[in-house]
């Protein structure tokens, strides 16, 4: 996976910015995300928590859904910036991967970073057995 794709840096920069806007008074786990679409549009998302904890929404899905709501185009890159989890980079959760599969398909590029380290993977390689839309290429 190419790390020098300029779309990845674009998404990471915007995700880092959105991370600063995360509403995380309960976990303190500030997460920001951003999507770059096939039109070159960058759509940010931030974690939004709630006192009713199950209502929290991940930064990645906020960005993916905002892309739909703003007619931004098909997601091609999804970046997530958060602190490490048990010493490893934090990757999108299963729910976010499933939404990303629906909207971006298996070739969507996912970039996970804590602001220093970076890992990049194709969605279909990261999660080869996710359910996919009828007619969509098999993920793996
Ligand atoms: Zn998630």
């Amino acid at each position: 996976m190419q790390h020098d794709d300029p779309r990845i840096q674009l998404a990471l920069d915007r995700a880092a910015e959105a991370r600063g806007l995360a509403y995380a008074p309960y976990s303190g786990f500030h997460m920001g995300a951003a999507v770059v679409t096939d039109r070159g549009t960058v759509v940010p998302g931030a974690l939004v928590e709630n006192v009713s904890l199950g209502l929290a929404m991940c930064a990645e899905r906020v960005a993916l859904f905002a892309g739909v709501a703003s007619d931004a185009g098909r997601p091609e890159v999804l970046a997530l910036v958060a602190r490490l989890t048990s010493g490893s980079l934090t990757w999108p959760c299963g729910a976010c991967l499933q939404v990303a599969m629906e909207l971006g398909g298996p070739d969507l590029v996912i970039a996970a970073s804590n602001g220093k380290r970076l890992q990049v993977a194709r969605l279909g390689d990261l999660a080869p057995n996710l359910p996919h839309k009828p007619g969509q290429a098999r993920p793996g």
Side-chain angles (χ1 to χ4, degrees), residues 4-139:
D4 56 357
D5 182 333
R7 297 172 306 168
I8 293 174
Q9 194 55 54
L10 196 63
L12 287 168
D13 289 347
R14 199 64 189 275
E17 202 177 292
R19 181 186 184 199
L21 300 171
Y23 178 73
Y26 305 103
S27 72
F29 199 89
H30 294 253
M31 297 173 61
V35 165
V36 178
T37 72
D38 59 354
R39 296 179 198 158
T41 303
V42 188
V43 185
L47 168 66
V48 181
E49 294 182 343
N50 192 283
V51 67
S52 179
L53 295 176
L55 297 181
M57 181 56 68
C58 299
E60 306 94 296
R61 270 180 289 163
V62 170
L64 288 161
F65 292 156
V68 172
S70 59
D71 192 26
R74 196 169 71 80
E76 289 185 338
V77 176
L78 170 62
L80 169 61
V81 176
R83 71 177 185 230
L84 300 177
T85 302
S86 303
S88 298
L89 288 172
T90 302
W91 286 84
C93 75
C96 288
L97 293 177
Q98 183 65 58
V99 169
M101 180 63 75
E102 179 76 21
L103 299 174
D107 289 330
L108 178 78
V109 173
I110 301 202
S113 176
N114 66 343
K116 293 177 184 154
R117 288 162 50 188
L118 169 65
Q119 289 184 332
V120 178
R122 177 181 168 271
L123 175 55
D125 295 335
L126 196 60
N129 297 311
L130 283 178
H132 56 286
K133 289 191 288 193
Q136 192 178 55
R138 274 203 58 77

